[in-house]
Amino acid sequence: MAPVTSLSDSVNQQLGSAISATLPEASADPLLRRSDRADFQANGILALAKKAKVNPRDLATQVVSRIVTGDVIKDVEVSGPGFLNITVTDRAITDNLAARYADETGRLGVPHAADPGITVVDYAQPNVAKEMHVGHLRSAVIGDALRAMLDFTGEKTIGRHHIGDWGTQFGMLIQYLVENPGELAPAADVDGEQAMSNLNRVYKASRMVFDSDEEFKERARKRVVALQSGDKETLDLWQQFVDESKVYFYSVFEKLDMEIRDDEIVGESAYNEGMPETARLLEEMGVAVRSEGALVVFFDEIRGKDDQPVPLIVQKADGGFGYAASDLTAIRNRVTDLHATSLLYVVDVRQSLHFKMVFEAARRAGWLTDEVTAHNMGYGTVLGADGKPFKTREGETVRLEDLLDEAVQRAAEVVREKAQDLTEDEIQERATQVGIGAVKYADLSTSPSRDYKFDLDQMVSLNGDTSVYLQYAYARIQSILRKAGEVRPTAHPELELTEPERALGLHLDAFGTTVFEAAAEYAPHKLAAYLYQLASLYTSFYDKCPVLKADTPPQVENRLFLCDLTARTLHQGMALLGIRTPEKL
Ligand code: ARG
C-alpha cells in the first residue's frame, strides 16, 4: 500500500508547478490552509510577489491561468490582494479518502517522515520512596502522548524515566532499615498499595527519629557516605527501596493505562559513575570553575535576586554531586551512546531554569551541538476548582491514585445512566476507559504550558470538548455499522457530496498533516482539537444526512464508508493520546 498524500499536498504540488512556471526563480511555498470561503486558501503568493517585486494580484492571476482544473481542482480564483481560493472536486475528496481506507496497516495512509531522527523523551519520573501526586500526572500523560505521536510519524523514540533514586535522604531511610530490619517486606511479596504504605510508614518513622535524635542523624550521615562509596550492605538496602517503589509506580501506571518499560527506567543513580568525568571535563574545558570550593558554571544572562548571577552547581564543596551533574551526564549518554538528535524533557515549568542552565552548559561543552535540539516542555500546574493549586480539603497534596479512582467512579455514573445493553462487568470496564480517558483528555486538550482546572464534572460531561463526547461519537458509529449488517461501507467517488459530507471529508483528509504538525510542535492539544472538530463535523453530518435510510443503495454505502473512516480516524487519533475507544457505550 503506497502512502496516501493528502488533498492539500496534491493541490500544493499543482500550485507549486504553476508558480515556478510563472516565476522560475521562486521557491514556491503556497501555504495552503483550510478556509471558510473555499476548500483551501493559498496565501503564499503575497510573499513571493514582494520578493520578486511584482504586483501580487497580477502574479496570482497568472498563476491561476496556468492551473489546469479538472480531476482534482474544480475551481480557483484570486481573492483579496492576492490570495487564491481553491475548490476541489467531490470526486477528489472521495478518491483520496478511499485510498486511506484501503490501507491495511492501520496508518490510514499516513506516510512516515522522510528523514526521521531519534528523540529521547524524558517523562514520567516519580521519586523513590515518595507518593506520586497530581504533579506527576501531567509528565506521564503528556510524555506518553508525545511519544506515541512521534512514533507514528516514524521518529524513533527512546523513553527515559529519570526517577529520583539518589540523594542524602537515603542515608536516613537506609539507616532506619538497618536498625529496624523487616520493616519493608520483600518487593516480590507486596502489591502497589502495600508497597506504598510500607514506604510511607518507613519514611515517616525515619524522619521522626532523624529530627529528634542527634545520634541517629550522625549515623544517617555516615550511611550516606557508605552509600556513595558503594558499600555492599548499604547498596542492597537502597535497592530494596527502589524495587519496592517500582512495584508501586507500576501499579499507578497500570491504572493510568500506560505501558512503562523496565529498561527505560533509568534514574539519577544510573549516571553516578559518569559524574566525576563530567565534572573533570567541564573544569578542563573551562566551562565550569571553582568557586568557594564548589565547581560551578556561571551565566551572564541568567540572574536571580539582587541581580546576582545564578550558578549551576556541578559539584558541591564537600565533593558531592547533585541534580545538575546527573542531568549533564545523562545528556552525554543520550547524545553519544543513544545517538539522540532531539532531547525532550517533559518536566514541570518550575524546573525550566534548571534546564536552561543545563542545556547551555552542555552546549558550551560541545555535548549538545547544532545537530541536536534540546527542549523542556515545561507544563503548567493542575489547579483545583477554586483556581488554586490542587489540594485536598485538608490542604494536602492530592494522591494521584485517589484522583484516578474518583474519576473512574464518576465515569461509572455517566456510563450507567446511558448504558442500554451493557452488563455490570461491561459498565465497570467502560467506566475505567471513560474515567481515565477523561483525565488524560482534559490534560492533553489544553496547551501544555497552561495551567488547567481539575474539574471532574466537566471532564466526564457528555457535552463539550471531552473525551467522553469523542468516545460516544465512536461508539455511535460502531452501532450504525453493526446495524448495517450485510451492507458494507464502500466508497462511491461518482456520487456528488452534500455540504456536511464535504466538510467531514475535507477534515478527515487533514489527519496526517495534523499529526505531523502536532508531533513536530510537541503540541498534543492540536491533535485533541482536531479530533473534537472531527466528532463535531460528524455530528452535523449525522444530523443532516440519513445513513442507513439514504436515498439510494450507493449512497448508503458511501455514507457508511464516511462513518467508518471517521471511526477509524477517531480510534487512531485517540490511541495516540493514550485513550481507549470502546466499541459500545
Ligand atoms: N524526579 C524529578 C521530580 O520529581 C523529575 C525529573 C525530571 N527529569 C530530569 N531529567 N531531570 O521533580
Side-chain angles (χ1 to χ4, degrees):
M1 161 82 208
V4 183
T5 45
S6 67
L7 266 182
S8 63
D9 284 341
S10 39
V11 172
N12 240 339
Q13 255 165 31
Q14 292 200 41
L15 267 180
S17 358
I19 288 171
S20 40
T22 317
L23 265 187
E25 69 278 14
S27 65
D29 189 5
L31 296 178
L32 223 47
R33 47 158 211 226
R34 290 275 290 123
S35 149
D36 289 338
R37 288 216 223 115
D39 295 340
F40 297 104
Q41 187 170 67
N43 58 3
I45 304 277
L46 291 178
L48 288 175
K50 197 169 171 200
K51 231 179 173 178
K53 299 198 168 60
V54 296
N55 177 302
R57 255 195 100 88
D58 289 349
L59 177 60
T61 312
Q62 284 185 54
V63 169
V64 165
S65 72
R66 286 204 156 85
I67 287 177
V68 190
T69 52
D71 289 348
V72 176
I73 298 178
K74 185 172 167 199
D75 189 33
V76 48
E77 57 186 28
V78 181
S79 100
F83 301 125
L84 298 182
N85 280 347
I86 299 152
T87 309
V88 292
T89 63
D90 289 350
R91 174 179 286 277
I93 294 176
T94 309
D95 271 340
N96 227 273
L97 299 180
R100 279 154 207 257
Y101 191 67
D103 181 2
E104 278 150 18
T105 65
R107 292 185 55 78
L108 300 164
V110 179
H112 282 111
D115 187 17
I118 300 176
T119 300
V120 175
V121 188
D122 189 311
Y123 70 110
Q125 325 95 330
N127 299 317
V128 164
K130 293 223 182 88
E131 203 134 27
M132 288 175 77
H133 54 78
V134 57
H136 292 116
L137 175 71
R138 299 209 73 183
S139 175
V141 170
I142 298 171
D144 192 53
L146 284 176
R147 219 181 149 180
M149 286 159 59
L150 287 164
D151 280 336
F152 190 74
T153 66
E155 179 83 3
K156 179 178 176 203
T157 64
I158 301 173
R160 279 293 175 268
H161 309 290
H162 198 88
I163 60 171
D165 63 357
W166 203 253
T168 48
Q169 74 276 20
F170 284 98
M172 168 186 100
L173 292 168
I174 296 168
Q175 187 59 32
Y176 182 83
L177 214 52
V178 171
E179 297 175 18
N180 302 272
E183 278 289 298
L184 273 193
D189 297 346
V190 290
D191 64 18
E193 207 171 311
Q194 293 160 337
M196 194 62 239
S197 92
N198 287 342
L199 287 165
N200 259 339
R201 202 184 51 246
V202 171
Y203 194 93
K204 282 194 188 123
S206 63
R207 179 96 249 168
M208 199 127 90
V209 222
F210 186 86
D211 287 340
S212 60
D213 180 345
E214 279 306 314
E215 279 163 25
F216 177 81
K217 204 177 210 162
E218 179 55 23
R219 294 198 293 281
R221 208 191 48 77
K222 288 208 177 103
R223 192 53 72 177
V224 177
V225 179
L227 180 64
Q228 280 165 348
S229 59
D231 170 64
K232 170 95 172 63
E233 186 205 1
T234 308
L235 271 181
D236 285 349
L237 289 170
W238 166 79
Q239 189 66 51
Q240 206 184 329
F241 278 101
V242 175
D243 291 345
E244 194 102 349
S245 298
K246 278 199 198 172
V247 172
Y248 162 72
F249 296 158
Y250 275 117
S251 73
V252 178
F253 288 128
E254 199 181 304
K255 236 179 212 173
L256 268 172
D257 193 14
M258 198 175 275
E259 214 175 301
I260 298 288
R261 285 172 37 186
D262 205 49
D263 61 332
E264 294 187 336
I265 301 186
V266 184
E268 291 174 29
S269 68
Y271 305 101
N272 282 349
E273 225 170 286
M275 290 193 297
E277 193 181 37
T278 298
R280 182 175 60 76
L281 291 171
L282 287 173
E283 190 168 9
E284 273 173 19
M285 286 185 275
V287 173
V289 293
R290 289 279 161 195
S291 164
E292 294 168 36
L295 184 66
V296 302
V297 184
F298 283 110
F299 309 88
D300 275 344
E301 63 294 3
I302 301 172
R303 283 168 188 274
K305 281 189 227 119
D306 317 327
D307 208 30
Q308 293 290 28
V310 182
L312 180 72
I313 301 172
V314 179
Q315 189 178 20
K316 287 178 274 184
D318 67 6
F321 296 102
Y323 197 47
S326 89
D327 263 325
L328 284 164
T329 310
I331 289 186
R332 292 172 56 209
N333 166 258
R334 292 171 191 186
V335 175
T336 314
D337 304 326
L338 303 180
H339 309 290
T341 49
S342 299
L343 302 178
L344 174 60
Y345 295 79
V346 189
V347 187
D348 194 314
V349 70
R350 279 169 283 199
Q351 294 191 31
S352 66
L353 180 62
H354 163 77
F355 283 107
K356 196 171 168 203
M357 295 198 285
V358 165
F359 295 160
E360 176 58 25
R363 293 225 178 265
R364 289 186 194 167
W367 299 329
L368 278 179
T369 59
D370 288 346
E371 278 77 60
V372 186
T373 62
H375 181 70
N376 172 28
M377 139 134 299
Y379 52 81
T381 309
V382 182
L383 307 173
D386 57 359
K388 302 209 184 94
F390 201 27
K391 292 268 154 68
T392 62
R393 258 184 232 130
E394 292 74 36
E396 287 171 28
T397 42
V398 182
R399 294 169 63 222
L400 184 50
E401 282 170 285
D402 292 346
L403 193 134
L404 298 177
D405 290 344
E406 200 185 331
V408 172
Q409 212 179 315
R410 252 354 139 76
E413 291 161 23
V414 176
V415 175
R416 179 164 288 118
E417 196 168 306
K418 275 250 173 183
Q420 289 170 351
D421 48 356
L422 295 181
T423 65
E424 186 55 31
D425 277 354
E426 283 174 326
I427 292 180
Q428 288 310 325
E429 192 193 340
R430 304 304 189 274
T432 312
Q433 299 173 336
V434 169
I436 298 301
V439 170
K440 289 184 177 178
Y441 189 83
D443 195 313
L444 294 169
S445 56
T446 359
S447 159
S449 61
R450 289 181 37 201
D451 298 345
Y452 75 93
K453 274 192 194 164
F454 196 91
D455 179 350
L456 277 177
D457 290 330
Q458 192 274 326
M459 284 180 190
V460 297
S461 156
L462 292 169
N463 304 311
D465 190 4
T466 62
S467 63
V468 208
Y469 174 70
L470 300 178
Q471 287 169 323
Y472 263 108
Y474 178 82
R476 241 185 311 145
I477 300 178
Q478 295 311 320
S479 132
I480 295 170
L481 292 171
R482 279 193 300 271
K483 277 193 203 126
E486 296 292 288
V487 189
R488 301 312 310 148
T490 312
H492 285 280
E494 75 283 2
L495 292 180
E496 266 181 36
L497 298 177
T498 60
E499 214 25 61
E501 289 174 311
R502 293 192 109 248
L504 179 62
L506 284 165
H507 193 67
L508 283 167
D509 181 69
F511 178 66
T513 329
T514 306
V515 176
F516 266 81
E517 202 181 287
E521 294 173 17
Y522 301 143
H525 63 292
K526 293 201 170 169
L527 177 58
Y530 170 88
L531 295 171
Y532 176 56
Q533 211 194 337
L534 180 58
S536 311
L537 288 168
Y538 176 78
T539 308
S540 339
F541 154 81
Y542 186 71
D543 286 347
K544 298 199 187 90
C545 308
V547 176
L548 297 175
K549 296 203 169 96
D551 291 341
T552 64
Q555 203 163 48
V556 173
E557 290 180 350
N558 198 57
R559 286 187 179 163
L560 280 172
F561 151 75
L562 282 174
C563 288
D564 198 10
L565 187 62
T566 302
R568 291 186 193 184
T569 308
L570 279 173
H571 172 81
Q572 177 62 69
M574 295 284 267
L576 294 179
L577 298 180
I579 302 172
R580 305 257 175 191
T581 35
E583 298 295 301
K584 281 191 198 168
L585 253 186

